[in-house]
Amino acid sequence: MKLFISIMLTLQICIASFATNAESINYYVIAKQAMPFQITTSSEKHSGIVSDIISRIFVDHYIVNYHTYPFNRMISELKAGREKNWVTYGSPNWGGIQAENLSDMPIYTVRHSILTNAKSDFFYHNLKDINDKVFVLLYGFNYPSLQPLIDSGQITELRVKDYAAAFRILDKIPQDAVFVEMTSRIKYNLKIQGRDLNQYKLQDFSALIPNYPIYLALDPKMDKDIQTFINQKLSDMSDSGSLTEIINRYI
């Protein structure tokens, strides 16, 4: 009996030592604005397309530390480089720290749409159609193809902190306001807020904001073995269909 207890204590010490010394992954999450890619709850549970992919990649292999911040604060933290071996998501189209070191394969193709109230008679055919419209955009998200139109005064920019505020503006000034965002995020947030999509009109906006891929964005100084591990796991998930399975949970 004493031998058994001694063996169990030694095993527990070894496990604790391994957990303490194991490499950690620092996963950065955007608070409130990144659904369905990153979803957080008041109980600090994490889900969403990117978060589920991260969980699947690192399960049983690495300790994942979660860091949740508003978008601009998150970018500042990444630039400061206080945590090593960090991961989030990004795209070459975004530039900056979220484009410096990307996974070998993309995880999703982003599409953008214009959302208007169903009462609006707005239809997008060409640039003339958006003259004098109020473009509702989320804080922290920039659109290089829209910026020249904003700078010239062709369209008016109105920044909001979340989707609920964007939808309220469309309801309040249906003939003047349009909301530009990723199609997947518009649909997801209409659904979770209990809003009927039939009360709104969704129009493709790829003519002005072309479709583009998003990837896992990795610490430029990430340990090479970890980076190789991530890319191999992503490839395996793509081949097995689990990557598509995760995406289909939310979109």
Side-chain angles (χ1 to χ4, degrees), residues 25 27 37 46-64 66 87 107 216 229-250:
I25 302 299
Y27 173 47
F37 299 102
H46 293 269
S47 59
I49 293 172
V50 179
S51 296
D52 286 2
I53 290 172
I54 293 297
S55 179
R56 183 74 63 87
I57 287 175
F58 295 113
V59 64
D60 299 329
H61 293 281
Y62 292 91
I63 298 169
V64 178
Y66 290 79
V87 59
I107 59 174
L216 293 183
F229 175 83
I230 291 171
N231 286 318
Q232 183 59 56
K233 282 290 186 180
L234 271 181
S235 179
D236 293 345
M237 290 173 66
S238 177
D239 292 342
S240 69
S242 60
L243 198 58
T244 300
E245 176 192 332
I246 288 173
I247 292 169
N248 289 343
R249 289 178 196 165
Y250 301 96

Side-chain angles (χ1 to χ4, degrees), residues 53-225:
I53 290 172
I54 293 297
S55 179
R56 183 74 63 87
I57 287 175
F58 295 113
V59 64
D60 299 329
H61 293 281
Y62 292 91
I63 298 169
V64 178
N65 301 318
Y66 290 79
H67 306 268
T68 304
Y69 297 108
F71 179 76
N72 289 333
R73 170 73 186 280
M74 185 195 78
I75 295 300
S76 297
E77 291 292 323
L78 295 181
K79 288 179 177 178
R82 280 185 277 269
E83 302 290 350
K84 68 174 186 175
N85 293 328
W86 59 257
V87 59
T88 184
Y89 72 107
S91 173
N93 295 57
W94 299 348
I97 194 71
Q98 286 178 287
E100 287 186 17
N101 186 28
L102 301 173
S103 56
D104 288 347
M105 62 176 291
I107 59 174
Y108 184 72
T109 298
V110 167
R111 295 169 175 81
H112 281 76
S113 290
I114 292 178
L115 186 73
T116 57
N117 191 286
K119 298 176 183 177
S120 171
D121 56 10
F122 173 80
F123 285 95
Y124 178 76
H125 300 290
N126 54 56
L127 286 177
K128 292 182 180 179
D129 296 326
I130 62 177
N131 286 346
D132 303 321
K133 291 297 178 183
V134 176
F135 268 60
V136 181
L137 305 173
L138 291 174
Y139 279 116
F141 294 89
N142 298 314
Y143 303 93
S145 57
L146 291 183
Q147 199 58 49
L149 305 176
I150 295 170
D151 294 340
S152 68
Q154 185 172 350
I155 60 177
T156 301
E157 171 191 34
L158 177 59
R159 291 283 178 171
V160 295
K161 65 178 182 177
D162 55 31
Y163 292 88
F167 300 149
R168 285 196 300 269
I169 291 170
L170 296 186
D171 295 343
K172 188 174 183 179
I173 49 174
Q175 293 297 340
D176 299 314
V178 302
F179 179 40
V180 174
E181 228 315 26
M182 292 182 190
T183 310
S184 55
R185 295 206 293 218
I186 289 174
K187 289 182 176 180
Y188 180 83
N189 282 278
L190 283 170
K191 179 181 178 180
I192 65 170
Q193 292 186 30
R195 292 176 177 265
D196 185 356
L197 186 56
N198 292 324
Q199 299 300 312
Y200 299 89
K201 290 188 295 189
L202 201 60
Q203 300 177 59
D204 178 68
F205 203 38
S206 59
L208 200 55
I209 305 180
N211 301 339
Y212 61 83
I214 60 172
Y215 299 75
L216 293 183
L218 312 175
D219 180 356
K221 299 178 181 178
M222 176 174 279
D223 181 281
K224 295 301 181 185
D225 289 339

